[in-house]
């Protein structure tokens, strides 16, 4: 569900969604002529009838099929789109081009992606947009393939033929000029939000499902946001053109239609169903209910205008034709529903061009409608025009069918979906089938920096050994047939590595404090990498009572702990980290924070001595060795036992910072004894 309040609405929505819809393509009025061919003006709608293997042109104003062209080899369900002089039946495997004046096939081209494309009829086009593969094909002479990258939303086109595309994965809005061979992506959508592009009378806008806002879109960037006034879920879609100056937004999960423009939003509850799509004619909006196989129409105020069953099933979304009517194809292509500007729906059987006057086509029963203001009112028949007598046509010579052109073989297309997975000194490369382009594929070749490998036509995965661990590799796969080698497709770079484990514990961990200082310098040796370089060391410390705790992440092998103090023992822990995680810790506890590592007192039993109530062999002196002290300094040396202080002596440190002497006779076996001097303390000695 969309959020509220993240953006402050700065522009009234009526100023963003204004005017009438900009027509896509070239709109004309009047019926198409019942001739063998068609005028070179874009009118009506083309549909492929799978049962008859032919494409038919449907005249929306005359409510009849008025031209037919056989399309041998077309896939069932092919979608037909037209340009000024040509028509194109597109499917996941191929595009079949035919002449609208000659009504014959002129070319067949393999599809660049194995998916049903969205089609757009517009100036400079038409276009086939392969949304999952991120590819746009400009249909026409010398078809132009334009990579966009990543998944694409529903495309829209403005009246000048500029195509706008929503690059979903990267959160970009891209434009394609009528003659350009690459896209420009001038707009980054905040937070890669979900939404829909809509063409309004004032230009394209973006409906943001996450923030429930709408913004104007141009080559210069985003306009200021305006609040929609309704919560729009992530799955909602908007009609690609407005309806009476309003945005038409379909909440499929909630079975609701929102109409948003000047004034308060209008929400229309819909019958339960599976709503597969919507389209606007400019004055009414048409919705396809796939679950109930029904087409429903509403005007800009949300009033229901008509509802009709879709013959053959609702497998196709509604499309807006260049004559500003909405067309809905039946699943098998044998019928088309035509939505007029007043919302009325008419069914047109797709059986071929009209017959001569003495053999008229079956007449579609008159459409009946209820008054929009009173659903309970009696059904009134629409007045039907009285047909005028038609002159008897003169027999015309029948054109001879043209032989189908032979499509020459060309090198294969690029393999699809090339991926690589790293191993220990190796990688596994996978890819999808390449388009054969008229000749059987004979094999694939995998190449990388330092080598290449050829495999058979049926192979889709191969292992590449002998790679250097720690080096990044990208793999390019090409396909070949008798016509040559096609373009390559390249994987993302991967880096082979040995079986990686977390690092070992650092060695040589030491903590040193300079004389008279309260900073501790921590040093250690490198930890074992275990298959992946050590990227960091984590140092932590605390005093004996838990105070003064801290931590740091360093890339070197030393760290200075400032102001740790000298009152208590300090515990320091160091852990190494690599790509596999953190390893075993190394830990050291400095006995007391006031015992710097560069000063020491070492004691042992000295010579026998005789003192008050102290006789040899138990009685003896303590042998004391002091190093690292301030040269020439006089210090107080204190003897301490388990019973307390046992005496003190003043001693002068030698010029080399050292002092060795024997003092303090001891005569109690099994008692601990130790020496303190200038803040330094020796280890305890058990007297023997």
């Amino acid at each position: 569900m969309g959020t509220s309040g993240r953006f402050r609405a700065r522009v009234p929505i009526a100023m963003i969604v204004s005017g009438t819809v900009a027509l896509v393509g070239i709109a004309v009025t009047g019926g198409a002529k019942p001739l063998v061919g068609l005028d070179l003006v874009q009118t009506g709608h083309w549909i492929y009838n799978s049962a008859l293997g032919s494409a038919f042109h449907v005249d929306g104003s005359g409510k009849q099929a008025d031209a037919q062209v056989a399309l041998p080899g077309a896939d069932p369900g092919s979608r037909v789109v037209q340009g000024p002089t040509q028509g194109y039946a597109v499917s996941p495997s191929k595009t079949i081009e035919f002449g609208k004046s000659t009504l014959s096939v002129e070319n067949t081209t393999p599809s660049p992606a194995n998916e049903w494309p969205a089609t757009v009829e517009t100036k400079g086009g038409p276009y086939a947009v392969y949304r999952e593969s991120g590819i746009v094909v400009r249909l026409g002479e010398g078809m132009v393939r334009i990579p966009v990258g990543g998944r694409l939303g529903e495309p829209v086109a403005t009246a000048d033929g500029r195509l706008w595309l929503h690059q979903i994965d990267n959160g970009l809005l891209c434009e394609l000029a009528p003659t350009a061979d690459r896209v420009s992506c001038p707009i980054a959508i905040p937070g890669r939000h979900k939404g829909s592009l809509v063409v309004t009378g004032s230009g394209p806008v973006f409906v943001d499902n996450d923030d429930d806002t709408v913004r104007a879109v141009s080559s210069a960037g985003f306009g200021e946001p305006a609040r929609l006034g309704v919560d729009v879920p992530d799955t909602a879609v908007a009609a690609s053109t407005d309806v009476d100056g309003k945005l038409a937004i379909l909440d499929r999960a909630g079975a609701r239609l929102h109409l948003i423009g000047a004034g308060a939003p209008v929400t229309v509850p819909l019958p339960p169903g599976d709503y597969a799509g919507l389209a606007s004619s400019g004055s009414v909006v048409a919705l396809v209910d796939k679950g109930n196989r029904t087409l429903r129409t509403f005007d800009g105020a949300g009033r229901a205008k008509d509802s009709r069953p879709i013959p053959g099933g609702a497998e196709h979304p509604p499309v807006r034709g260049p004559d500003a009517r909405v067309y809905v194809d039946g699943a098998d292509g044998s019928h088309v529903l035509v939505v007029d500007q007043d919302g009325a729906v008419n069914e047109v059987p797709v059986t071929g061009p009209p017959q001569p006057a003495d053999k008229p086509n079956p007449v579609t029963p008159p459409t009946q409608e209820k008054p929009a203001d009173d659903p309970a009112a009696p059904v009134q028949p629409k007045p039907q025009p009285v047909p005028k007598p038609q002159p008897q046509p003169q027999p015309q010579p029948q054109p001879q069918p043209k032989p189908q052109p032979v499509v020459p073989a060309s090198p294969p297309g690029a393999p699809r979906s090339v991926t690589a997975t790293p191993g220990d000194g190796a990688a596994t490369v996978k890819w999808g089938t390449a388009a054969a382009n008229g000749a059987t594929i004979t094999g694939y070749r995998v190449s990388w920096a330092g080598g290449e490998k050829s495999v058979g036509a049926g192979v889709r995965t191969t292992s590449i050994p002998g790679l250097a661990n720690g080096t990044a590799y990208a793999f390019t796969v090409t396909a070949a047939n008798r016509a040559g080698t096609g373009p390559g497709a390249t994987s993302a770079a991967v880096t082979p590595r040995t079986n990686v484990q977390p690092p070992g514990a650092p060695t040589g961990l030491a903590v040193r404090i300079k004389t008279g200082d309260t900073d501790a310098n921590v040093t250690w040796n490198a930890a074992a990498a275990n298959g992946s370089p050590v990227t960091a060391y984590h140092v932590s410390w605390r005093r004996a009572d838990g105070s003064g705790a801290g931590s740091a992440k360093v890339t070197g092998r030393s760290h200075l702990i400032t102001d740790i103090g000298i009152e208590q023992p300090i515990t320091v822990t160091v852990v190494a980290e690599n790509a596999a995680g953190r390893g075993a810790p190394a830990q050291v506890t400095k006995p007391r924070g006031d015992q710097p590592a560069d000063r020491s007192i070492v004691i042992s039993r000295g010579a026998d001595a005789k003192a008050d109530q102290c006789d040899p062999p138990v009685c003896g002196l303590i042998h004391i060795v002091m190093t690292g002290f301030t040269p020439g300094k006089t210090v107080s040396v204190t003897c301490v036992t388990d019973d307390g202080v046992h005496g003190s002596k003043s001693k002068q440190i030698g010029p080399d910072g050292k002092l060795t002497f024997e003092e303090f006779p001891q005569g109690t076996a099994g008692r601990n004894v130790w020496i303190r001097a200038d803040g330094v303390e020796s280890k305890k000695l058990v007297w023997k």
Side-chain angles (χ1 to χ4, degrees):
M1 181 68 67
T3 60
S4 60
R6 190 178 302 175
F7 281 124
R8 179 173 63 87
R10 300 183 178 93
V11 181
I13 194 168
M15 295 180 63
I16 295 179
V17 186
S18 62
T20 57
V21 67
L23 296 184
V24 179
I26 305 172
V28 297
T29 58
K33 300 176 183 178
L35 302 176
V36 175
L38 288 178
D39 291 338
L40 302 186
V41 181
Q42 289 179 246
T43 63
H45 172 71
W46 282 88
I47 180 174
Y48 178 67
N49 186 317
S50 301
L52 300 179
S54 296
F56 293 85
H57 181 265
V58 175
D59 172 15
S61 61
K63 310 299 186 291
Q64 62 183 8
D66 57 8
Q68 175 181 354
V69 54
L71 299 179
D75 294 333
S78 292
R79 300 168 186 175
V80 185
V81 61
Q82 63 175 328
T85 63
Q86 307 296 104
Y88 307 87
V90 296
S91 70
S93 68
K94 64 177 75 71
T95 296
I96 299 177
E97 178 183 355
F98 61 89
K100 290 167 57 176
S101 60
T102 63
L103 296 181
S104 62
V105 172
E106 297 181 358
N107 196 15
T108 299
T109 306
S111 168
N114 186 26
E115 63 175 277
W116 289 103
T119 56
V120 181
E121 295 178 351
T122 186
K123 178 182 178 181
Y127 294 91
V129 180
Y130 297 84
R131 296 174 54 190
E132 290 300 317
S133 304
I135 299 172
V136 176
V137 175
R138 181 183 291 117
L139 302 170
E141 183 177 355
M143 293 185 185
V144 179
R145 172 177 168 174
I146 304 163
V148 182
R151 295 177 301 132
L152 303 175
E154 194 68 30
V156 300
T158 53
D160 61 357
R162 192 172 299 271
L163 198 66
W164 282 91
L165 303 149
H166 177 195
Q167 198 177 15
I168 297 173
D169 296 331
N170 296 327
L172 301 175
L173 296 182
C174 305
E175 61 176 332
L176 178 65
T179 59
D181 60 0
R182 66 184 61 188
V183 297
S184 171
C185 301
I187 299 176
I189 301 172
R192 302 183 182 181
H193 288 180
K194 299 178 179 65
S196 303
L197 282 163
V198 180
V199 174
T200 72
S202 57
V205 300
F206 181 72
V207 177
D208 190 322
N209 291 4
D210 289 89
D211 282 319
D212 300 331
T213 59
V214 59
R215 293 170 177 253
V217 172
S218 71
S219 301
F222 258 150
E224 294 295 328
R227 185 71 57 194
L228 291 173
V230 296
D231 283 332
V232 180
D234 289 348
T235 56
V237 294
S240 60
T241 52
D242 64 20
V243 51
D244 276 347
K246 296 181 179 180
L247 300 173
I249 302 175
L250 172 62
D251 177 357
R252 291 180 288 193
R256 294 178 297 180
L257 173 66
H258 300 297
L259 297 165
I260 300 169
V266 176
T267 298
V268 181
L270 302 173
D274 178 11
Y275 290 90
L278 75 167
S280 168
S281 69
S283 57
V284 293
V285 61
L287 287 85
V288 169
D289 181 352
K290 185 176 179 180
N292 297 311
R293 299 186 174 188
T294 302
L295 173 65
R296 309 180 192 278
T297 62
F298 300 85
D299 65 13
R303 294 185 292 261
K305 303 301 294 182
D306 207 342
S307 176
R308 288 294 185 92
I310 301 175
E315 295 299 325
H316 300 285
V319 296
R320 184 175 183 222
D323 54 1
R325 290 181 174 85
V326 174
Y327 295 85
V328 178
D329 298 347
D332 60 358
S334 61
H335 294 78
V336 174
L337 295 182
V338 182
V339 181
D340 286 326
Q341 290 294 322
D342 60 358
V345 180
N346 291 275
E347 179 184 332
V348 178
V350 179
T351 57
Q355 301 297 315
D358 59 342
K359 296 180 181 180
N361 278 339
V363 178
T364 303
T367 301
Q368 296 180 337
E369 67 176 6
K370 297 178 182 180
D373 297 334
D374 185 6
V379 175
Q380 299 295 330
K382 286 186 177 181
Q384 299 296 311
V386 178
K388 296 181 180 180
Q390 299 292 326
Q392 186 72 20
Q394 296 298 319
Q396 297 291 331
Q398 296 300 316
Q400 295 298 318
K402 292 185 178 181
Q404 295 299 316
V406 177
V407 179
S410 59
R416 300 184 178 97
S417 304
V418 178
T419 62
T421 304
D424 185 358
T428 300
V429 183
K430 297 182 179 180
W431 61 91
T433 305
N437 290 353
T440 303
I441 291 177
T442 56
Y444 293 90
R445 183 174 62 195
V446 184
S447 59
W448 63 95
E452 63 178 39
K453 180 179 181 180
S454 295
V455 297
V459 176
R460 298 293 179 272
T461 180
T462 187
S463 178
I464 309 297
L467 304 179
N469 285 326
T471 300
Y473 292 88
F475 300 89
T476 300
V477 183
T478 57
N481 62 13
R482 60 180 172 81
T485 300
T490 303
S491 73
V494 297
T495 303
R497 299 188 185 280
T498 57
N499 294 326
V500 177
Q501 295 180 354
T507 61
L509 178 60
V511 180
R512 294 178 175 84
I513 302 176
K514 292 182 178 180
T515 302
D517 203 348
T518 59
D519 295 343
N521 186 37
V522 184
T523 60
W524 60 91
N525 298 326
N530 291 346
S532 178
V534 173
T535 55
Y537 290 93
H538 299 269
V539 185
S540 60
W541 57 89
R542 59 178 172 80
R543 297 189 182 103
D545 63 357
S547 66
S551 63
K553 180 180 179 181
V554 300
T555 56
R557 294 199 295 275
S558 66
H559 182 69
L560 183 65
I561 305 173
T562 59
D563 295 327
I564 189 61
I566 59 175
E567 300 86 6
Q568 300 182 41
I570 307 167
T571 298
V572 179
T573 304
V574 179
V575 178
E577 180 182 12
N578 66 7
R582 297 189 184 187
Q587 189 175 83
V588 65
T589 298
K590 196 165 178 52
R592 282 179 60 91
D594 60 354
Q595 181 174 315
D598 54 356
R599 295 190 299 167
S600 65
I601 301 174
V602 179
I603 63 175
S604 61
R605 181 187 171 94
D608 290 344
K610 184 175 177 61
D612 185 26
Q613 298 181 355
C614 180
D615 298 313
V618 176
C619 189
L621 300 174
I622 302 174
H623 184 77
I624 304 169
V625 178
M626 303 173 61
T627 59
F629 286 79
T630 304
K633 182 179 180 180
T634 299
V635 298
S636 177
V637 180
T638 302
C639 176
V640 185
T641 69
D642 291 336
D643 299 328
V645 175
H646 198 267
S648 297
K649 296 286 185 179
S650 293
K651 298 288 183 179
Q652 186 177 22
I653 305 299
D656 58 355
K658 298 179 181 180
L659 178 64
T660 300
F661 64 99
E662 292 185 350
E663 193 66 69
F664 309 116
Q666 300 294 314
T668 304
R671 183 173 64 179
N672 289 317
V673 58
W674 62 96
I675 298 297
R676 293 175 181 167
D678 199 22
V680 180
E681 185 175 276
S682 72
K683 292 182 179 181
K684 293 180 180 180
L685 174 67
V686 179
W687 194 256
K688 296 180 181 180

